[in-house]
Structure formats: structure tokens, C-alpha cells
Amino acid sequence: MADQSQAPKLVPPSPFCDPTADIILRSSDNIEFRAHRIVLSLASPVFRDMFSLPQGDAESDEKAAEVQMAETGAVLERMLRFWYPGAEPIVGTLSELRETLELLIQKYDMQSAAVFGKQYLRGFLDTEPLGTFAVAARFGWKDLTLLAARECLKLPLRNSAYTPPNEFDCVSAKVHHALIQYHYRCGEVVRDILKDRSFPDAARKYEFSPYIQRCRCRILSIGNGNSFEFQFWFTEFLQSMEAKHAKTPGAVDDLLLILKAVKGQKSADCSNCNSVSENLPIFLSEWWWPTIKASIGKVSLDL
């Protein structure tokens, strides 16, 4: 192995090239990060204890003391930029963010990093809800864990093609099981709403009553012990949504697209159906989906 002391010393950009720095953190690949002890000590009890030890001959008035770090330059820079004054954070990928948080919170005991960690982790909610859930659960951030679990309702977790991301390596099987159970219970709640055909008061508020029109598209449907005459296309729409929400309880973005496709096939030439459905999108967005969201909001995530 080559002598690392003979390797060229690389210096990262500002603020880690400050000539007034009194400590040098040397990465495993020989990159020097010049910093200030007081800043590191205030942020991390580990650094504070480290600097309380005698520094030997390396410490002098002319030369900053050096500390050999186990992290590579890329990892160390992300870790320092995450919180160091005057540094612009480098968040990177979700995997890199998780690694940074593990170092800051677990290894260096920088509990204040949780404030920024939660903020940056929220940025992955839409694109990587599963990984966000696992990382949030890893650090015990219950509010963010629940938000991520709700985003996961848009995904088909309970099928043979489902594979958890690498971030689940940092949580127990119990946490993973809790997410799957939450997904299942939310699916049951939403299916119960979709099976209920008795919503005349809400429908009339939006001037939408699919079961009072008399046309060739009607079909008899049962809800809560009562019989209603629904348009055939609306009944098929409800059945399609039941099947969809059983797998993805929170997937509603394409609700109107499904409705349009079903209705277009079954009642394109029916004037009664066409007139009744004018206010249906408003009914769905202002009553139906809020009702589903409110019901999901009552389901607990048992970690």
C-alpha cells in the first residue's frame, strides 16, 4: 500500500480552505478539510471529546492540528456541508442523505442535524415515498413517517412484484410489516366507502343524482340495505375504483380519467347521462375524495 503521507494533499473549496482554521480533518483519501474547533465542538460532543485529548507534536501555534477521519472526501464534504456555517449543503440522492444522517446523528451525535435532515428528507416524499418512510422510521420521526406511509398508499405494495428499496435495510421487519398492514387497512376503509351507494344528500348538493334518472343506462344497485337505480356507467366506475383502491388506496390522481373512459364507452349517446354528469367532477373532487382522505386520516400507523 502506498504511503498516504507522500500522496498529494487535496483541498476542497470554501469554506474548508480557510487559512485561519485551527484543525484539519483529513479524509481517508487524503483530502484536507480546514475547520475551526469551536464550531465542531459546539455541534458534536464527539468532536468536543476528541479535541479535549492531547494533540501531541502536531499541535503548535504555526500549524493546525490534524485529525485522520475514516470517511472519504466525498462523504466528509457532504457531512460537513450539511450544517457547517457558510457552506452550501449537498443533499445528493436519498441513499447519500441517509448515509449523511447516519454519520451526523449516530456516529457524531449531532442531534441538531435532525432539523435539517427532516427538511431535506421531505423533498423525497413524492418521488421515493418508500425510502423516505424507511429513513424517517429509522430516526424515529413519527410525523414524517406517517406522511410517507400515506404517500405509499399510491403504490401497489401488496403484490408479487413489490420489492422494498435498500433503505429498508436500516429498519426492522416489524416496521416493514406495520407499513403493509397500514396499507391493507386503508384499502379496506376506502373500499367500504366505494361500496356505499347511499349518498343522496351529498349528491344533491352538487346537483348530481345518478340514481334518479330514468334512462336505458340505469341499473339496480344496493347500498346500506337500500335499493337505488344508478346509471350503468357509474356503477361500473365504482366497481373499477373498488378494484383499484384495493391495491392502491391513495391513488386518486387518475380518478376522473377512469370515469371519463368508462362513461365514454357506456353512455356516449345518452342525453340523460350526459346532462347528469356535468357536475360529477366537482362532486368527486369536493366531496368524494375529501371523504376518502378523512377516512384514511383516521387509520393509525402502528409502529
Side-chain angles (χ1 to χ4, degrees):
M1 179 180 294
D3 184 358
Q4 192 180 64
S5 64
Q6 301 302 317
K9 297 179 180 180
L10 304 176
V11 180
S14 178
F16 305 115
C17 55
D18 188 349
T20 67
D22 57 2
I23 193 73
I24 295 175
L25 304 180
R26 184 179 299 282
S27 68
S28 61
D29 49 355
N30 208 40
I31 301 178
E32 293 184 348
F33 292 83
R34 304 181 70 88
H36 294 82
R37 297 188 193 200
I38 184 63
V39 176
L40 296 172
S41 297
L42 288 173
S44 166
V46 175
F47 277 120
R48 183 176 64 243
D49 294 343
M50 184 188 303
F51 298 149
S52 68
L53 300 174
Q55 299 298 313
D57 296 337
E59 186 174 8
S60 68
D61 294 337
E62 294 80 19
K63 183 179 179 181
E66 292 189 9
V67 175
Q68 182 63 51
M69 305 293 288
E71 293 77 25
T72 65
V75 173
L76 189 56
E77 183 172 9
R78 282 201 309 271
M79 185 186 79
L80 290 172
R81 286 189 176 278
F82 200 83
W83 63 273
Y84 200 88
E88 183 177 352
I90 300 176
V91 177
T93 64
L94 178 58
S95 178
E96 290 171 340
L97 176 60
R98 169 195 165 186
E99 181 182 30
T100 301
L101 292 173
E102 289 279 0
L103 287 170
L104 291 174
I105 297 175
Q106 300 298 322
K107 182 175 181 178
Y108 293 102
D109 197 18
M110 294 185 185
Q111 299 305 317
S112 60
V115 177
F116 298 105
K118 292 173 70 174
Q119 175 184 336
Y120 295 134
L121 187 57
R122 282 176 180 269
F124 292 95
L125 266 175
D126 293 336
T127 56
E128 300 183 62
L130 280 167
T132 301
F133 170 86
V135 175
R138 166 71 177 89
F139 294 107
W141 300 336
K142 293 184 178 180
D143 54 343
L144 189 51
T145 303
L146 180 57
L147 284 177
R150 288 175 179 169
E151 283 297 312
C152 291
L153 296 177
K154 299 176 182 178
L155 304 175
L157 302 188
R158 291 172 284 121
N159 63 32
S160 58
Y162 165 65
T163 302
N166 294 334
E167 284 73 26
F168 273 85
D169 294 344
C170 69
V171 297
S172 66
K174 179 181 178 181
V175 171
H176 193 185
H177 179 71
L179 174 63
I180 300 301
Q181 287 297 305
Y182 175 77
H183 195 277
Y184 172 78
R185 291 198 303 272
C186 288
E188 291 295 295
V189 166
V190 175
R191 282 202 299 177
D192 287 343
I193 295 173
L194 292 169
K195 287 179 179 178
D196 183 8
R197 303 295 192 260
S198 56
F199 43 83
D201 292 338
R204 289 193 183 100
K205 177 182 177 181
Y206 294 96
E207 298 180 358
F208 162 67
S209 299
Y211 46 82
I212 62 175
Q213 294 294 324
R214 296 294 181 264
C215 67
R216 62 183 177 80
C217 297
R218 70 181 186 274
I219 188 173
L220 186 66
S221 184
I222 306 297
N224 285 354
N226 299 314
S227 299
F228 303 104
E229 285 188 333
F230 280 82
Q231 272 81 2
F232 182 83
W233 57 265
F234 187 75
T235 300
E236 186 168 317
F237 164 71
L238 293 179
Q239 292 171 346
S240 298
M241 293 309 297
E242 282 182 35
K244 183 176 182 62
H245 282 295
K247 299 178 180 179
T248 53
V252 296
D253 294 339
D254 54 355
L255 186 147
L256 293 179
L257 293 177
I258 294 176
L259 172 64
K260 183 178 180 180
V262 172
K263 179 181 176 298
Q265 293 175 359
K266 301 298 179 181
S267 59
D269 58 347
C270 179
S271 58
N272 282 333
C273 285
N274 289 331
S275 62
V276 160
S277 62
E278 289 180 359
N279 291 326
L280 182 53
I282 300 176
F283 169 71
L284 293 175
S285 62
E286 294 188 8
W287 184 85
W288 195 286
W289 175 230
T291 300
I292 290 177
K293 286 183 65 177
S295 299
I296 288 176
K298 297 176 182 178
V299 180
S300 62
L301 174 64
D302 301 326
L303 291 176

